[in-house]
Structure formats: C-alpha cells, structure tokens
Amino acid sequence: MISVDEALAQVLALLSPTDIETIEIRDATARVLAHPVSAKRDQPPFASSAMDGYAVKSGELDPYAQLLVIGESAAGHRFDGAIKAGQCVRIFTGAPVPEGADRILIQEDCTRSGNVITVNPDIDTAHYIRPAGGDFRAGSTIDAPTPLTPSNIALIAAMNVNELPVYRKPVIALVATGDELVHPSETPNQDQIISSNNFGLKALIESHGASARLLPIARDDMDSLTTVLDLCEGADLIVTLGGASVGDHDLMGKMAADGTLDTEFYKVAMRPGKPLMAGLYKGTPLIGLPGNPVSALVCGYVFLIPAIRAMLGLPRAALATQTATLGIDLPANGPRSHYMRAHCEIIDGQNICTPFERQDSSLLSVMTAANAFMIRPPNQSSLSAGDTVQIVPL
C-alpha cells in the first residue's frame, strides 16, 4: 500500500489540462479562465454620483445658501452643460457629474422650492462622487487560471469583455460494476441493491466543473466490463466503481494483475478506500474506486476533486484542510489514514468537531449527516476532547 499523498501525486501525474475553448460570458458559470482578460474601458467611465441629490460647487454650501437648479443629470442621460456660480444640477445615483461640480449635496441636506434649493445649516461632509476609473482602469487584468465566480463574471462583464477563453469541461465516464446492482426505479431481486455511487459521484463531479457520463452497469464478467470500458472512448478520465478488491468477482483487480490495465498503483493506506487503483486503460487515465458507497464518495472528494482541478489548469494540490477542536475522546488510530465522517459546529466561538460513532463504509445516512471529514494520520496516538484536529469541510 502507498500513502494518500503518494496516491494523489500519481493520479495527478496521469492527467493534463483540457484544451481551451472560447465561450460567451453568459455561459461562464463555474468555468475556469484559461488566459488573462483585460478591461476595455475605465469603470466608471466618468465621475459619477454616489447618491441622489444636487451637483454643486463645494465652496457655495454656506448655511441657508440658495442655488438655482438649472437642469438634471440621470443615469444614462447626462446634463449637457457646466455649472456656474450660484447654480446646481439635480442628480441621481450613477449619473455623470456635470462640469464645474465637485460635490454632491444629498437631497436630505436641502429644501427645494420651485427651481431653488436652500442649503440646510448642518450637512453631511462627504462629497459622494465616484471618480472616473475608481473601480478599474482600461487595461486592468484578471489573471489565469481563475475559477469564474459570480463576482468576477460581473467584473469581466463590466470590463466590456464578452468572449472568454476557458478550459473545456473535462468529461469523466462513470462505470458502476457488479451483478448485484440495478438502477433506481428498476425492480431488484432479493440479492440485489440499488446503484447509488454513480449518481452521488456524478453530482460531485458536475458541482466541481466537469461533465459526467453515466455508462451502463458492467456485470461481473470480463466481456461485459471491457465492452462498457470501451464505450468510454473520448472521455478524459474513466472512473470505475467496485471490482477493485481481491475477491473472485473483483474484475478490476484482475485487470490490474494481468496487465490489461496499465496500473500506477493498487491499494492505498486510507480508511475508507483501501482498494483504490489508478492507471491507464488503452491510453485513457482510469481511477478504480471502491464499491462501498461511502468509500466511493470519500475517495471522490480526496482524489476526484483535485483531479478535476488539475484538468481545469488549476494548481495541483490536495483538498485544503482546516483546524478544529475535537469534541470527544478517541482511541489510537491504526496504520491507515482515517477520513472520519464528522459533524462540526461553532460552540462558544470554537469549531467543535465530533466524529460519528458509526464509521462503517456502507452507511450513506451517516455520510449525509456529516459536514466534514476529520483526518487522522496513520498510527496517531489516542486523542482527548479539546485536542486540535485537521478537517476538510464538506
């Protein structure tokens, strides 16, 4: 067995970034920018008002001073002229500031009668003018690779950039294996169960920027397995579910042993997830995940999310961890890294992490209730409530 870190490094070494395509900004949600983009204009492109009020000369705001309103400036419709002594312009938020004005007198700080305003004796001292280019200047750049979030998509749109170079979404083929499996809505016989891993992993994959292809269930004979694997042609990564252990019906393990699968590693010192493998199938990267549903999901988080990020041109790294405070006593850990399903909550300002008592790799109900993995390194000594632990939030 190899360590989790060694296994992840070997998985990532199998993968390359996808090719680059150009999309419109309307389709940019959850994509990854492949090349830098630059602003085509200043934002704002003119000095604009930050409040509703009156554009004035700041030196004319003595208490009870009166100013003549000579026009209006609204968003999209500027006042075409200049303010002279004793004048002001009605202005609205976002509108261009007229020539000659250097301050916005907010509407609450004056009274108006006809076309004359009177300045109140006690007024706000802020100027409420947003300078031209105060947000960004033409030529300002967003670097790449960058995941495109709602905020930076809005920023790029404001830069007047419509077409974006992005990494193509990786296509990941999901192959569930086993005679015991049937799809949801099908009627299982008394010895069968419902296939769930592939649907959970599809959701995980697609929520992290890749596309998942659900293949037919491969049955426990080599012809069925190779037929389904050959249907994965064109995928960037094949992920098999089940069949990676050492039983008579675990065909992925047999493929690794007989050389049909060009294997990088087989078995990882982690719990759950020991029967994990990776390699190449006819030149396509393949990761063989365990069949137990929790094991498959844990390995999905630990290996597939970093794999997707690598294929999207993002930094190659393990999931980021955080520290938390252990909520219970725990005995010493065994020889494998243990990804314990846990619940974390803030209590008296501390992030208290409590692993569930039941950690069996078949318990999807426990996995669903968890909001974190608590990671215990191999051979870690016993822990007491209050000790600091490492977690991965889910």
Side-chain angles (χ1 to χ4, degrees), residues 319-325 344 351 373 375 388-393:
L319 293 177
T321 60
Q322 301 176 6
T323 58
T325 301
C344 296
N351 189 14
F373 294 139
I375 306 173
T388 298
V389 292
Q390 296 294 315
I391 66 166
V392 172

Side-chain angles (χ1 to χ4, degrees), residues 247-287:
D248 291 344
H249 301 285
D250 292 315
L251 300 183
M252 291 303 300
K254 286 180 167 50
M255 291 179 69
D258 67 17
T260 305
L261 176 65
D262 184 6
T263 310
E264 292 293 318
F265 66 83
Y266 180 23
K267 296 184 183 178
V268 179
M270 66 181 293
R271 176 185 174 200
K274 175 184 173 183
L276 183 103
M277 65 174 66
L280 297 172
Y281 179 77
K282 297 185 177 180
T284 300
L286 180 147
I287 303 175

Side-chain angles (χ1 to χ4, degrees), residues 178-183 185-194 219:
D179 287 346
E180 75 277 15
L181 300 178
V182 298
H183 281 298
S185 82
E186 295 180 352
T187 302
N189 66 34
Q190 61 183 358
D191 299 321
Q192 290 181 309
I193 58 174
I194 307 300
R219 298 306 169 186

Side-chain angles (χ1 to χ4, degrees), residues 70-74 76-83 89-90 96-99:
I70 61 170
E72 179 179 289
S73 184
H77 303 280
R78 70 171 59 231
F79 172 76
D80 189 15
I83 294 175
V89 166
R90 178 70 164 130
V97 176
E99 182 183 345

Side-chain angles (χ1 to χ4, degrees), residues 2 22 25 64 90-91 107 122 145 147 157 187 244 252 283 291 316 394:
I2 62 174
T22 300
I25 194 167
Y64 305 110
R90 178 70 164 130
I91 196 166
Q107 59 191 20
D122 185 18
T187 302
M252 291 303 300
R316 295 167 179 256
L394 300 180

Side-chain angles (χ1 to χ4, degrees), residues 12-149:
L12 298 181
L14 294 170
L15 304 170
S16 300
T18 57
D19 51 318
I20 296 169
E21 60 186 7
T22 300
I23 62 168
E24 292 191 3
I25 194 167
R26 70 181 65 203
D27 301 317
T29 304
R31 303 300 295 270
V32 174
L33 190 66
H35 296 308
V37 294
S38 299
K40 297 180 179 179
R41 61 181 305 181
D42 295 344
Q43 177 69 10
F46 43 76
S48 65
S49 177
M51 298 288 282
D52 293 342
Y54 296 87
V56 301
K57 293 178 179 292
S58 57
E60 297 186 331
L61 296 181
D62 295 328
Y64 305 110
Q66 293 188 320
L67 302 172
L68 178 66
V69 182
I70 61 170
E72 179 179 289
S73 184
H77 303 280
R78 70 171 59 231
F79 172 76
D80 189 15
I83 294 175
K84 299 178 181 179
Q87 298 177 339
C88 67
V89 166
R90 178 70 164 130
I91 196 166
F92 299 94
T93 302
V97 176
E99 182 183 345
D102 63 356
R103 181 168 173 174
I104 306 301
L105 178 70
I106 62 174
Q107 59 191 20
E108 295 87 351
D109 282 349
C110 65
T111 57
R112 180 170 177 171
S113 178
N115 285 335
V116 175
I117 65 167
T118 301
V119 180
N120 293 347
D122 185 18
I123 63 174
D124 194 323
T125 59
H127 281 221
Y128 293 114
I129 291 178
R130 296 167 177 155
D135 192 1
F136 56 82
R137 292 284 187 184
S140 297
T141 298
I142 295 181
D143 292 331
T146 296
L148 292 171
T149 63

Side-chain angles (χ1 to χ4, degrees), residues 153-211:
I153 289 173
L155 176 59
I156 293 169
M159 290 175 162
N160 200 24
V161 175
N162 180 53
E163 293 187 338
L164 303 178
V166 297
Y167 288 101
R168 176 179 55 78
K169 286 187 176 185
V171 176
I172 301 178
L174 288 170
V175 179
T177 69
D179 287 346
E180 75 277 15
L181 300 178
V182 298
H183 281 298
S185 82
E186 295 180 352
T187 302
N189 66 34
Q190 61 183 358
D191 299 321
Q192 290 181 309
I193 58 174
I194 307 300
S195 180
S196 59
N197 303 355
N198 45 356
F199 295 99
L201 286 168
K202 181 178 186 292
L204 182 71
I205 287 165
E206 294 184 344
S207 66
H208 285 83
S211 296

